Amino acid sequence: VVGLTGGIATGKSTVSNLLAQRGIPIIDADVLARDVVRPGTRALSRIVDTFGPEILQADGTLDRPKLGAIVFGDDAQRRKLNRIVHPAVRWGMLGAVLRCWLRGERACVLDVPLLVESGIWRWVGKVVVVYCSAEIQLQRLMKRDGSTREAAQARLGAQLPITDKLEFADQVIDNSGGPQELDAQVDAFVRRLQRDVGWSWRVSWLFPPWGLFAALWSLAWRRIKHSQRAARRRRERS
């Protein structure tokens, strides 16, 4: 299971699409976040109980702008919403991963903007960060949204800096160049992923206890590596 993340305007969605074109299943957290609040879902029922029926539209779907107006700028209300939506999305991710495994997929990608911030990075086998410099990120955001430099800087300032996410990366895809360069990097990543997966995925698929052991070992090794990196950074700063 690969965790894919990045920052706003770094090109994460582009990389996700390129991976999908190469036949790798993509589990998109943003899509799941919409699916878990569709009419009839438990999450939507809890949201209505918490925030009132006025956050529903006439057809029974969630009125996102109205709900956004309630939680925007109110940390307590936003935390209430997150306590409902985030667990539902995580269960949705787990179900999607299991379905990929049952189909015999060699790998899948969790496309999660807040992979690091949410702690989900601890539960994947590899973390891939799509990166570009802060200035390129700023210019792309201004061009994409037609915003001023000040407005774009404010949006970037509200997020975890992309350089902080690099500390969690097993693989960095640098999207500072053009489309051809990005395409080549994605190709190289897919080849490396296929090589790392090798033949062992067949054993994990045919013999689930081995797959569970391999998953637990992978997660434990990830935490050990992150602890070692953190200790090394502390020594370098001191």
Side-chain angles (χ1 to χ4, degrees), residues 25-226:
I26 306 295
I27 302 167
D28 191 324
D30 287 340
V31 172
L32 284 173
R34 293 192 292 271
D35 288 343
V36 299
V37 294
R38 292 186 185 279
T41 60
R42 183 169 181 269
L44 182 59
S45 177
R46 291 183 60 197
I47 290 172
V48 172
D49 291 342
T50 303
F51 297 99
E54 60 272 13
I55 53 89
L56 292 179
Q57 301 187 84
D59 61 358
T61 59
L62 183 64
D63 190 328
R64 293 178 182 276
K66 191 171 289 186
L67 180 60
I70 294 173
V71 302
F72 181 74
D74 189 326
D75 288 341
Q77 295 287 62
R78 187 166 61 251
R79 284 195 295 270
K80 288 180 184 178
L81 179 62
N82 289 343
R83 282 196 293 269
I84 297 170
V85 175
H86 287 182
V89 171
R90 293 186 184 197
W91 279 111
M93 288 181 187
L94 177 60
V97 169
L98 289 175
R99 286 191 292 274
C100 287
W101 175 74
L102 288 171
R103 292 198 306 267
E105 301 285 359
R106 299 177 68 179
C108 65
V109 170
L110 287 179
D111 182 342
V112 187
L114 301 180
L115 185 82
V116 172
E117 296 92 326
S118 64
I120 295 175
W121 66 271
R122 296 184 179 92
W123 303 100
V124 299
K126 290 182 182 294
V127 172
V128 177
V129 175
V130 183
Y131 166 84
C132 68
S133 70
E135 181 59 30
I136 292 175
Q137 193 178 6
L138 182 64
Q139 293 296 331
R140 287 176 177 169
L141 184 58
M142 291 167 59
K143 182 178 180 181
R144 189 189 74 183
D145 295 350
S147 60
T148 64
R149 188 177 184 88
E150 292 73 22
Q153 285 176 327
R155 289 194 67 185
L156 291 178
Q159 295 191 337
L160 183 69
I162 190 67
T163 49
D164 289 2
K165 294 187 178 186
L166 294 178
E167 298 181 3
F168 296 83
D170 299 293
Q171 172 93 27
V172 176
I173 294 180
D174 190 342
N175 188 26
S176 300
Q180 290 183 331
E181 295 173 62
L182 182 61
D183 206 62
Q185 289 188 68
V186 171
D187 273 338
F189 168 69
V190 171
R191 288 195 298 271
R192 178 181 174 184
L193 180 62
Q194 291 171 341
R195 184 173 64 249
D196 290 346
V197 171
W199 54 268
S200 61
W201 71 278
R202 293 184 183 276
V203 179
S204 300
W205 186 52
L206 294 171
F207 187 58
W210 171 256
L212 179 61
F213 170 78
L216 293 174
W217 170 251
S218 177
L219 295 177
W221 181 238
R222 158 164 301 290
R223 297 192 184 203
I224 291 169
K225 286 196 299 182
H226 183 70

